[in-house]
Amino acid sequence: MTGERVFMFVDEEELFSAMKDLDCLYCRIPVTASKHHLRKKHLRFAVYYKDSGIGVEMTDKSSVELRPTAVLLESLRTDREDETKPGNKAACQKCGILFTTTSNLRRHERLQHGHDQQPILCIDAKNAIYVTPKYLHGPRVPIHIRKSFTSQVLLCELEECWDFMKAQAQSGNPGKECRHLVRTNHARHYVPPPPLCVNSLDEMGHKQLLSASEKLQCREMSSRACIRGVDCVYPIFWGERELSERCVFFSVYTDLEDKWCQFGRTRVSFDTESGGWRCLCKRKRSRCVHKCLSAWWLFQERPELLQNAPDVHAESADALEEAVMDAEDVV
């Protein structure tokens, strides 16, 4: 074996012999591929099956046949077919299995590893601000939270989380955290994004993507964020799966504290297919400096994502965008 990952073996002994005297190829950190390790960390999640004329029959180690649902059968067929297709795939961070869609990956994580696997990023180390998905399912719409033991701050943007923690405090559990705050225990450390450059803003002006007044507003807001020692625009890409999501989200500095920007930041979303933009500020359906700032960052760092949006301010009644909007109105 030369270091290439293989996911199908005739029996356990073939796996043991192939991995003998090697580090485990299915783990992200170096660990010896002993029989104990392979059984405990990987074989316990293995799928035992045999091919037949009518499809796949699932069996466990005692050879008791289990008949999977149509959804599971289709997922197995799709995964096996995808192994031969070129292109980028998302890998499970626990066991290394590759998936072509984030929905298949999330389903695998829930079923095989038993927890939500929701990412969380620190976007402002100075003020202890994080972003994490609002819901367990559907589009990964981010929300802001603050958690600092030094400043004794435990805050979440959602009112339902306020009510939950308030009820817990009244019940004698004043330190009980909502599900979003709990995730900070495995948050990714703050990594500064590429800074906004005036040259790219001027180029947008030359191409008539921004007006003179919009350019001025962007420069002023960027300067105020710099004075405060925070990032004006922080793009929210969820780790290795960053470009597999249709909507790109940004946390944008506002220099305000209001219901829509409780921690001095708002959320902007961009639909890479329709070119539609949305911001939580009071100018939701029109141009605002927060959308312009996000477009500035995209134009500078990821111009290929703007190919479907000749007008960076295009507002589209796109199905996914409407779904995101509906999700925001639930709480």
Side-chain angles (χ1 to χ4, degrees):
M1 194 166 181
T2 61
E4 179 183 359
R5 285 181 175 178
V6 178
F7 297 100
M8 298 182 65
F9 297 91
V10 174
D11 52 32
E12 292 184 0
E13 290 305 319
E14 182 182 4
L15 170 62
F16 296 149
S17 61
M19 297 284 285
K20 185 178 181 181
D21 300 325
L22 292 174
D23 286 343
C24 181
L25 297 175
Y26 308 105
C27 291
R28 295 174 63 87
I29 59 176
V31 58
T32 303
S34 64
K35 289 185 179 181
H36 174 75
H37 169 78
L38 292 171
R39 284 196 178 102
K40 183 179 179 181
K41 295 295 184 180
H42 303 297
L43 283 173
R44 59 183 294 205
F45 301 118
V47 176
Y48 295 79
Y49 69 90
K50 59 182 179 180
D51 290 322
S52 66
I54 58 174
V56 176
E57 298 179 12
M58 307 289 293
T59 62
D60 63 12
K61 294 181 180 180
S62 61
S63 298
V64 178
E65 291 189 356
L66 305 173
R67 299 196 177 276
T69 64
V71 174
L72 181 56
L73 268 174
E74 183 61 30
S75 176
L76 285 170
R77 294 193 189 101
T78 301
D79 291 343
R80 294 182 68 187
E81 291 171 358
D82 288 340
E83 289 180 0
T84 62
K85 295 180 180 179
N88 296 328
K89 297 181 181 180
C92 174
Q93 297 184 9
K94 286 292 183 181
C95 61
I97 295 179
L98 301 177
F99 297 88
T100 56
T101 65
T102 54
S103 59
N104 285 343
L105 173 59
R106 292 177 197 172
R107 180 171 64 249
H108 163 82
E109 290 173 338
R110 291 195 304 272
L111 295 178
Q112 296 297 335
H113 302 302
H115 50 87
D116 64 34
Q117 290 282 332
Q118 294 299 308
I120 180 167
L121 313 176
C122 177
I123 63 165
D124 182 349
K126 178 181 178 181
N127 297 298
I129 300 178
Y130 302 79
V131 289
T132 190
K134 183 175 183 179
Y135 302 115
L136 295 179
H137 310 288
R140 278 186 164 152
V141 181
I143 60 169
H144 294 92
I145 61 175
R146 284 192 66 190
K147 182 176 180 179
S148 172
F149 291 113
T150 303
S151 304
Q152 296 185 338
V153 175
L154 291 174
L155 296 173
C156 180
E157 281 187 328
L158 301 187
E159 290 186 14
E160 63 180 11
C161 292
W162 301 350
D163 295 338
F164 168 78
M165 290 186 288
K166 181 179 180 180
Q168 290 295 319
Q170 292 174 345
S171 301
N173 298 310
K176 187 69 173 179
E177 301 173 359
C178 69
R179 66 180 185 274
H180 305 107
L181 286 166
V182 169
R183 294 176 191 165
T184 56
N185 295 329
H186 61 270
R188 191 180 80 181
H189 294 298
Y190 169 76
V191 178
L196 295 169
C197 299
V198 176
N199 289 342
S200 57
L201 182 64
D202 291 337
E203 186 178 353
M204 292 184 75
H206 294 324
K207 293 184 176 182
Q208 298 184 340
L209 297 176
L210 294 177
S211 67
S213 61
E214 289 168 340
K215 284 179 54 183
L216 179 60
Q217 291 175 9
C218 285
R219 293 191 65 167
E220 290 177 346
M221 188 67 76
S222 179
S223 296
R224 288 200 290 270
C226 185
I227 293 172
R228 293 291 183 89
V230 298
D231 297 303
C232 186
V233 177
Y234 199 106
I236 302 170
F237 293 127
W238 303 120
E240 296 177 356
R241 309 157 212 166
E242 59 181 46
L243 294 182
S244 60
E245 304 283 359
R246 176 170 172 175
C247 269
V248 179
F249 295 96
F250 302 87
S251 173
V252 182
Y253 177 75
T254 65
D255 198 27
L256 298 170
E257 287 192 13
D258 204 333
K259 186 175 182 180
W260 54 272
C261 57
Q262 297 173 38
F263 308 141
R265 305 191 71 89
T266 187
R267 186 186 68 240
V268 175
S269 64
F270 172 66
D271 188 327
T272 59
E273 292 189 13
S274 72
W277 291 86
R278 184 170 186 262
C279 179
L280 295 182
C281 72
K282 297 178 180 179
R283 301 179 62 184
K284 293 181 180 180
R285 290 291 187 178
S286 61
R287 299 185 180 190
C288 67
V289 65
H290 315 112
K291 294 177 186 176
C292 294
L293 286 164
S294 301
W296 178 5
W297 195 94
L298 268 188
F299 180 84
Q300 175 182 298
E301 299 296 331
R302 295 291 178 87
E304 69 277 7
L305 298 182
L306 290 170
Q307 291 178 356
N308 294 328
D311 177 359
V312 297
H313 299 295
E315 298 294 344
S316 169
D318 178 80
L320 179 59
E321 188 73 6
E322 291 298 327
V324 173
M325 292 174 62
D326 291 342
E328 292 307 305
D329 293 335
V330 169
V331 178

